Amino acid sequence: MSSTKTIGIIGGGQLGQMMAISAIYMGHKVITLDPASDCPSSRVSEVIAAPYDDVDALRQLADRCDVLTYEFENVDADGLDAVIKDGQLPQGTELLRISQNRIFEKDFLSNKAQVTVAPYKVVTSSLDLEDIDLSKNYVLKTATGGYDGHGQKVITSAEDLEEANALANSAECVLEEFVNFDLEISVIVSGNGKDVTVFPVQENIHRNNILSKTIVPARISDRLADRAKAIAVKIAEQLNLSGTLCVEMFATADDIVVNEIAPRPHNSGHYSIEACDFSQFDTHILGILGAPLPAINLHEPAVMLNVLGQHVEAAERYVTENPSAHLHMYGKLEAKHNRKMGHVTLFSNEPDNVVEFGKGIDF
Ligand code: AMP
């Protein structure tokens, strides 16, 4: 039997593109489903250009591929269930359903995986906000559809309640206590349905709710780093994980609190392409194919900077002045403001001296 597979990827943005590049190195063929025929993956794979909820296109992809995966979690799980054959989506649709809805996600994290999350309650209307204790701060988040801080309202006083009530009456929400964290961190973990492998802890700096800089290893104690990795492994084991998952967490002075999970390679793991012996995309492909997974080693401390639409020229200048920095551009045709166009990875022991492209310019 040939070990060469045809892998179908739903979504042809940068994550799909980098998955496809890893798959191609391993000898596999990739077919991508994306609404745009000129999406980033079109540089490296055949594209079926159709909307994600086009069941005929999903069926065509399923019929032509041995294995399916996705680059983002808002895939129509019912549509997928209708077309996939047994075992064709090793990640399963259950994980999609968990990560599409914060209510299911919190329930899974706190009750099934039994990891620490911020104290929370489900809010179905503004009535559920009437008796909250305003001596504490909160974040109200819509259960579905939120991303990069959209669909969220921070509550620090009674003045915030008008907007919070409106949000609560517009959609089902989760009300979380505000976590006074020192750092935002994330851990990438990959599974092959049996075993898991875990990456170093990443420290993440956001600007305007968009990831701007990732520093690896995160500047937290070894004890907290071990704990963060153990939490990611526990979640992966509870899921019988196949492929790559990112666990986003808050590091407080003495604890780790899980914020959310993303069932796919993640922006904060891009440094692994150069800085680790296997990337998060390599282990994603190995994992969904059920292949043995390598232990991950970080060659040297690394920093990743995101290149948004308004940073493209600065990033191109930066690598002419710093030729040992790796510039990745995703091949997006239009450099819109805040659109993720590429990233830069470099090795550095002095992460504070690696200045984000937007700092002092746009923010
Ligand atoms: P999320 O969409 O859940 O990733 O939230 C976006 C950002 O809001 C996070 O990266 C944090 O900076 C912040 N945030 C979310 N939840 C909390 C919380 N419970 N406490 C403090 N900050 C939060």
Side-chain angles (χ1 to χ4, degrees):
M1 199 182 76
S2 162
S3 59
T4 299
K5 302 281 185 210
T6 302
I7 300 174
I9 303 180
I10 301 168
Q14 63 268 19
L15 299 176
Q17 185 198 57
M18 291 185 271
M19 283 180 197
I21 291 170
S22 283
I24 289 165
Y25 267 125
M26 296 175 201
H28 307 300
K29 178 183 157 76
V30 175
I31 305 177
T32 297
L33 174 70
D34 192 283
S37 57
D38 57 2
C39 61
S41 289
S42 67
R43 306 273 170 116
V44 291
S45 91
E46 179 185 335
V47 176
I48 299 174
Y52 295 124
D53 58 0
D54 180 334
V55 176
D56 286 338
L58 277 174
R59 183 168 291 115
Q60 194 196 130
L61 188 73
D63 286 346
R64 293 183 58 196
C65 294
D66 300 303
V67 176
L68 297 180
T69 184
Y70 45 78
E71 66 151 12
F72 66 107
E73 51 272 33
N74 284 319
V75 177
D76 175 8
D78 292 337
L80 261 180
D81 271 337
V83 303
I84 50 177
K85 298 169 206 89
D86 236 9
Q88 204 181 11
L89 182 76
Q91 293 155 284
T93 47
E94 192 50 31
L95 175 55
L96 273 179
R97 290 193 169 85
I98 290 171
S99 39
Q100 281 169 359
N101 185 314
R102 290 189 195 274
I103 299 173
F104 300 160
E105 184 178 49
K106 292 277 189 227
D107 178 52
F108 166 77
L109 290 170
S110 52
N111 297 324
K112 293 228 176 66
Q114 300 194 332
V115 297
T116 306
V117 298
Y120 74 98
K121 74 169 187 174
V122 174
V123 167
T124 52
S125 82
S126 57
L127 292 177
D128 294 321
L129 297 178
E130 274 180 356
D131 57 352
I132 61 171
D133 170 7
L134 285 172
S135 67
K136 294 178 182 165
N137 296 331
Y138 304 89
V139 189
L140 183 69
K141 303 177 177 178
T142 54
T144 60
Y147 65 96
D148 287 347
H150 294 263
Q152 296 194 7
K153 175 70 192 157
V154 175
I155 304 172
T156 57
S157 72
E159 280 167 28
D160 297 313
L161 285 178
E162 195 179 325
E163 266 184 57
N165 285 337
L167 190 62
N169 287 330
S170 71
E172 265 197 320
C173 292
V174 168
L175 181 75
E176 290 176 23
E177 278 185 25
F178 194 90
V179 179
N180 284 317
F181 55 80
D182 289 340
L183 291 178
E184 293 196 63
I185 60 170
S186 55
V187 176
I188 302 284
V189 58
S190 301
N192 60 8
K194 297 189 292 288
D195 306 313
V196 302
T197 192
V198 64
F199 286 72
V201 183
Q202 298 133 205
E203 172 181 336
N204 299 322
I205 296 166
H206 299 88
R207 306 270 164 210
N208 294 343
N209 280 314
I210 302 172
L211 183 67
S212 179
K213 179 175 180 178
T214 294
I215 297 168
V216 195
R219 292 169 292 180
I220 55 175
S221 68
D222 289 347
R223 186 183 68 82
L224 281 186
D226 288 345
R227 189 142 166 189
K229 286 168 107 175
I231 287 172
V233 168
K234 195 171 177 195
I235 292 170
E237 286 176 348
Q238 183 64 39
L239 290 164
N240 289 323
L241 181 69
S242 289
T244 290
L245 175 90
C246 179
V247 185
E248 295 182 58
M249 315 177 200
F250 302 124
T252 65
D254 57 1
D255 204 2
I256 302 287
V257 178
V258 177
N259 180 26
E260 59 183 3
I261 55 175
R264 51 171 171 80
H266 190 263
N267 196 168
S268 61
H270 290 355
Y271 73 95
S272 59
I273 295 174
E274 286 90 10
C276 296
D277 42 7
F278 289 81
S279 78
Q280 62 166 348
F281 303 100
D282 298 334
T283 53
H284 182 70
I285 298 298
L286 291 169
I288 60 170
L289 294 177
L293 291 170
I296 301 300
N297 293 299
L298 179 71
H299 299 308
E300 274 182 62
V303 177
M304 187 233 41
L305 303 175
N306 258 350
V307 179
L308 303 182
Q310 61 271 36
H311 307 148
V312 172
E313 283 172 19
E316 285 170 354
R317 242 187 347 265
Y318 184 84
V319 289
T320 58
E321 288 157 14
N322 300 277
S324 59
H326 297 264
L327 175 65
H328 292 243
M329 294 302 290
Y330 308 140
K332 295 184 184 176
L333 301 180
E334 225 189 314
K336 289 190 201 148
H337 190 83
N338 281 353
R339 187 178 199 195
K340 290 176 183 170
M341 300 299 291
H343 70 267
V344 168
T345 300
L346 56 144
F347 292 110
S348 174
N349 280 314
E350 297 178 323
D352 285 337
N353 293 338
V354 180
V355 180
E356 296 150 68
F357 295 119
K359 206 163 183 184
I361 304 171
D362 290 292
F363 297 104

